[in-house]
């Protein structure tokens, strides 16, 4: 029903209110443990309700987040049965790390795109810098304490695992997920967990005293934020593959990477290595960071060069057929003029009645024809020939090392005859004819690329005027004819306004009775008292579209004359 709420939205609102309310109650130190327990159970329910309500394309990460809370509760109950400092108690949080990490990995896999390697490197720089800081501040002091091997290894592992989780959170943010509100809540949840872990790690390393529940407050905020993320409508977008792509760097990303690099440089100076292990860890971290930065720079430069190459190719080639366009063909002709040791032929091809085919079967079939023609011309082009598409259904073939005009005409005729073979299209086999114009430039003579294209185009139109499906070799007389026809077109336009077009009438006589039965209206054009033959200006009017206003003029004049005769 239009306007009705989605199923489950009432449950979403209820759980949201419970999470917010419990988190606010938990701000009271005495109520923090109870509020945390309520938030954890509500967060598990939130992941289930959120998935059922908003139906993300990939639900596994959200289920894993809920499972991580369940694992945390179970491990806490099990660890409570052992003494503090025992191995089971120390390993209490370890399973939750792995489940939460699996959730973040699942998010990353769902959103994987073609920039994924770059995101991994950027996130790796941040994660490696934080891991180095964690080692210097938290891990190294713990390793020097007089504790059991299991305890020292466990307490040293937690900061390293935090750096790994941070790596995946940063990877999601750098990948564009920061635009999604569910991700911002998710990131807030993991930051809350990192805050609690930070206090616990600092306490374990002997840097601070008892946190007095502040670490539990961080965990409570973390579970509340994760539950709110699962209940937010945008949670389906966060787990959608390919929803967001990598765009230009934001200032926060630049600052994050710069701060990470500065942090990695400052840590060894501020926290001096005191053991061989410290020096080994510092050196290995520095080498890894230098490798990541170098790989990032090299990849960025290569990607920029590849992008420029793609743009240059797109600018010089037709989008549909991927053949060189007019600009590229012009350059190719100029190069051929410089290096050709023999004559040069430019062949201009236009498909006959291509518009009729488009009108009958649509532009999709028209594109099939263009692709088939492009493939046929490219396949038949040998060494020293370049095939390109000028526009629409017009193609150009540049042929170097052509000995004479006769050979150039033969090349054009071969192209015309090649179209006798039907084209295999989705609508069946179709035969297309072509009109071909050839411009030939002898060795030792000069002409610009544009002039050769224009001459071949002129010859192609002469082939169309001669009946299509043929080849015509350009000669200089065609330019004179083109100039004459253009001048006549301009004069005809002027004559319509100047009243130089007149109607002449000749009777239609009944041969049996000898009586006139009608009149035939004939248009005549007089310039300075001289008549322009109709067989010269009427074809030009038909080609240029002037025949329409000429017909309207003839109709007005004839009907007016007929009305005068009746009076």
């Amino acid at each position: 029903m239009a306007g009705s709420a989605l199923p489950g939205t009432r449950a979403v609102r209820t759980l949201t209110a419970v999470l917010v309310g419990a988190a606010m109650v938990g701000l009271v130190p005495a109520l923090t443990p109870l509020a945390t327990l309520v938030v954890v159970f509500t967060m598990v329910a939130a992941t289930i309700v959120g998935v059922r309500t908003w139906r993300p394309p990939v639900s596994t990460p959200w289920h894993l987040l809920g499972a991580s809370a369940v694992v945390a509760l179970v491990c806490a109950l099990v660890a409570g049965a052992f003494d503090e400092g025992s191995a089971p108690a120390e390993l209490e949080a370890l399973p939750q790390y792995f489940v939460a990490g699996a959730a973040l990995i699942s998010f990353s896999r769902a959103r994987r795109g073609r920039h994924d390697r770059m995101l991994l490197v950027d996130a790796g720089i941040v994660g490696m810098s934080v891991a180095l800081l964690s080692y210097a501040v938290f891990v190294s002091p713990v390793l020097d304490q007089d504790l059991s091997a299991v305890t020292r290894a466990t307490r040293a592992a937690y900061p390293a695992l935090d750096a790994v989780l941070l790596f995946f959170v940063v990877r999601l943010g750098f990948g564009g997920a920061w635009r999604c509100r569910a991700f911002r809540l998710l990131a807030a949840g993991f930051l809350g967990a990192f805050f609690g872990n930070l206090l616990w790690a600092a306490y374990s390393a002997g840097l601070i005293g008892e946190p007095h529940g502040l670490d539990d407050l961080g965990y409570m905020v973390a579970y509340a934020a994760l539950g709110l993320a699962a209940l937010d409508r945008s949670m389906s977008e966060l787990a959608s593959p390919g929803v967001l792509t990598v765009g230009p760097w934001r200032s926060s990303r630049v600052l994050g990477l710069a701060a990470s690099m500065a942090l990695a440089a400052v840590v060894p100076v501020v926290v001096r290595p005191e053991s061989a292990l410290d020096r080994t860890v510092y050196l290995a971290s520095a080498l890894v960071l230098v490798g990541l930065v170098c790989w990032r720079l090299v990849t960025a430069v290569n990607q920029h060069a590849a992008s420029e190459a793609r743009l240059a190719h797109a600018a010089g080639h037709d989008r549909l057929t991927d053949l060189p366009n007019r600009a590229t063909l012009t350059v190719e002709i100029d190069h051929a003029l410089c290096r050709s040791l023999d004559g040069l032929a430019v062949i201009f091809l236009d498909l006959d009645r291509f518009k009729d085919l488009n009108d009958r079967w649509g532009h999709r079939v028209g594109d099939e024809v263009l692709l088939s023609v492009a493939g046929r011309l490219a396949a038949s082009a040998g060494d020293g020939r370049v095939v390109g598409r000028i526009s629409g259904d017009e193609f150009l073939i540049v042929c170097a090392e052509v000995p004479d005009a006769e050979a150039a005409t033969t090349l054009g005729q071969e192209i015309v005859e090649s179209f006798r073979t039907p084209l295999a299209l989705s609508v069946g086999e179709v035969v297309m004819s072509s009109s071909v114009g050839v411009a030939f430039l002898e060795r030792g003579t000069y002409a610009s690329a544009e002039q050769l294209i224009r001459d071949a185009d002129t010859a192609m139109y002469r082939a169309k005027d001669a009946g299509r499906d043929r080849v015509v070799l350009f000669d200089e007389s065609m330019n004179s004819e083109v100039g004459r026809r253009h001048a006549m077109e301009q004069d005809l336009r002027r004559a319509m306004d100047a009243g130089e077009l007149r109607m002449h009438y000749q009777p239609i006589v009944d041969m049996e009775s000898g009586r006139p039965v009608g009149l035939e209206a004939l248009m005549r054009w007089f310039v300075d008292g001289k008549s322009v033959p109709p067989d010269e200006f009427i074809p030009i009017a038909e080609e240029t579209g002037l025949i329409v206003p000429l017909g309207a003029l003839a109709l007005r004049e004839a009907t007016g004359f007929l009305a005068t005769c009746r009076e």
Side-chain angles (χ1 to χ4, degrees):
M1 181 181 297
S4 62
L6 289 172
T9 52
R10 180 177 298 179
V12 168
R13 290 194 296 268
T14 301
L15 292 175
T16 300
V18 172
L19 284 172
V20 174
M24 295 182 66
V25 171
L27 295 176
V28 180
L31 300 177
T32 299
L34 178 60
T36 301
L37 190 61
V38 173
V39 168
V40 171
F41 280 109
T42 308
M43 178 262 186
V44 174
T47 57
I48 298 173
V49 172
V51 168
R52 291 184 176 179
T53 302
W54 307 123
R55 300 185 181 279
V58 181
S59 60
T60 302
W62 296 107
H63 288 315
L64 287 173
L65 278 180
S68 68
V70 175
V71 169
L73 286 174
V74 173
C75 290
L77 291 174
V78 173
F82 295 89
D83 295 334
E84 184 177 354
S86 63
E90 293 292 334
L91 295 172
E92 171 189 344
L94 197 59
Q96 186 185 12
Y97 272 97
F98 290 114
V99 179
L104 291 175
I105 291 174
S106 184
F107 276 121
S108 298
R109 290 178 64 86
R111 299 176 58 82
R112 179 172 294 175
R114 62 188 180 92
H115 297 280
D116 191 63
R117 286 187 298 175
M118 305 296 288
L119 298 176
L120 292 176
V121 172
D122 291 347
I125 293 173
V126 176
M128 196 66 202
S129 301
V130 173
L132 178 60
L133 176 64
S134 298
Y135 175 84
V137 177
F138 304 120
V139 176
S140 184
V142 167
L143 294 177
D144 292 335
Q145 293 178 355
D146 186 16
L147 299 171
S148 66
V150 173
T151 301
R152 281 184 296 168
T154 304
R155 294 185 179 183
Y158 286 139
L161 292 175
D162 283 333
V164 173
L165 294 183
L166 178 64
F167 162 80
F168 284 108
V169 173
V170 172
R171 179 249 177 266
L172 286 172
F174 282 173
W178 60 269
R179 300 184 184 93
C180 178
R181 185 168 54 185
F183 169 76
R184 294 194 292 271
L185 289 169
L186 184 79
F190 277 96
L191 288 176
F194 294 154
F195 173 76
N197 295 339
L198 176 67
L199 292 177
W200 184 87
Y203 170 70
S204 300
L207 301 177
I208 62 173
E210 178 72 32
H212 298 297
L214 284 178
D215 54 342
D216 291 334
L217 182 62
Y219 298 139
M220 183 195 67
V221 171
Y223 286 119
L226 293 176
L228 292 174
L231 294 173
D232 192 83
R233 183 188 296 268
S234 63
M235 61 90 72
S236 60
E237 181 181 339
L238 183 57
S240 298
V243 171
L244 298 175
T245 57
V246 178
W249 281 18
R250 300 174 72 244
S251 57
S252 58
R253 183 172 180 178
V254 176
L255 291 175
L257 289 173
S260 299
M261 296 298 299
L263 180 64
V266 168
V267 166
V269 177
V270 176
V271 184
R272 296 282 184 176
E274 298 180 356
S275 64
L277 179 61
D278 291 347
R279 289 189 289 273
T280 301
V281 171
Y282 284 11
L283 178 61
S285 300
L287 292 176
V288 171
L289 282 172
V290 169
L292 289 174
V293 171
C294 290
W295 192 92
R296 184 67 171 88
L297 291 175
V298 171
T299 304
V301 171
N302 290 341
Q303 285 188 343
H304 180 71
S307 297
E308 287 191 338
R310 287 193 297 270
L311 289 174
H313 181 85
H317 288 74
D318 175 57
R319 179 177 297 180
L320 176 64
T321 62
D322 201 37
L323 292 177
N325 59 17
R326 187 185 189 98
T328 302
L329 287 169
T330 301
V331 174
E332 289 290 340
I333 293 174
D334 287 334
H335 289 170
L337 289 172
C338 295
R339 66 174 182 263
S340 179
L341 299 178
D342 217 326
L344 177 68
V346 175
I347 301 174
F348 201 113
L349 180 149
D350 183 272
L351 299 177
D352 295 333
R353 300 182 178 88
F354 180 72
K355 183 179 182 302
D356 296 341
L357 182 141
N358 261 339
D359 293 341
R360 180 180 180 185
W361 283 309
H363 291 283
R364 181 182 62 82
V365 176
D367 288 345
E368 290 182 28
V369 170
L370 295 175
L371 288 170
S372 297
V373 170
R376 181 173 295 183
L377 292 175
S380 62
D383 295 336
R385 298 184 187 179
V386 179
V387 179
R389 182 185 176 202
I390 296 295
S391 64
D393 59 338
E394 297 177 339
F395 295 84
L396 199 72
I397 302 96
V398 181
C399 305
E401 309 300 335
V402 180
D404 50 41
E406 183 178 355
T409 305
T410 300
L411 291 174
Q413 186 60 41
E414 290 175 355
I415 293 174
V416 171
E417 292 176 356
S418 70
F419 280 82
R420 306 281 193 267
T421 304
L423 300 173
L425 307 177
S426 60
V427 295
E429 292 188 343
V430 176
V431 176
M432 296 288 298
S433 63
S434 62
S435 298
V436 172
V438 178
F440 176 72
L441 186 67
E442 295 181 353
R443 179 183 178 184
T445 57
Y446 173 77
S448 66
E450 287 294 337
Q451 181 181 346
L452 284 172
I453 295 174
R454 182 198 65 197
D455 292 347
D457 188 17
T458 300
M460 182 273 295
Y461 275 105
R462 180 60 65 89
K464 282 192 175 295
D465 291 341
R468 298 185 175 91
D469 191 25
R470 66 193 64 217
V471 58
V472 170
L473 179 66
F474 174 82
D475 62 65
E476 289 299 331
S477 64
M478 294 181 186
N479 274 338
S480 302
E481 176 66 15
V482 170
R484 187 189 68 81
R485 292 168 72 90
H486 179 73
M488 182 171 289
E489 176 191 347
Q490 301 305 314
D491 291 342
L492 185 57
R493 294 180 184 275
R494 177 189 53 77
M496 293 174 62
D497 298 330
E500 296 177 353
L501 296 165
R502 305 171 189 173
M503 299 303 298
H504 285 210
Y505 305 94
Q506 62 184 15
I508 300 175
V509 180
D510 186 343
M511 296 297 292
E512 293 183 359
S513 63
R515 297 179 57 188
V517 295
L519 295 173
E520 182 181 9
L522 303 173
M523 180 168 285
R524 294 293 182 262
W525 180 14
F526 292 92
V527 179
D528 297 330
K530 297 180 179 179
S531 175
V532 179
D535 59 351
E536 291 187 9
F537 73 85
I538 294 297
I540 294 178
E542 292 175 342
E543 291 178 7
T544 59
L546 292 176
I547 196 66
V548 176
L550 284 181
L553 174 63
L555 186 61
R556 287 196 304 271
E557 292 289 334
T559 53
F561 176 75
L562 182 61
T564 302
C565 292
R566 288 183 175 180
E567 292 177 358

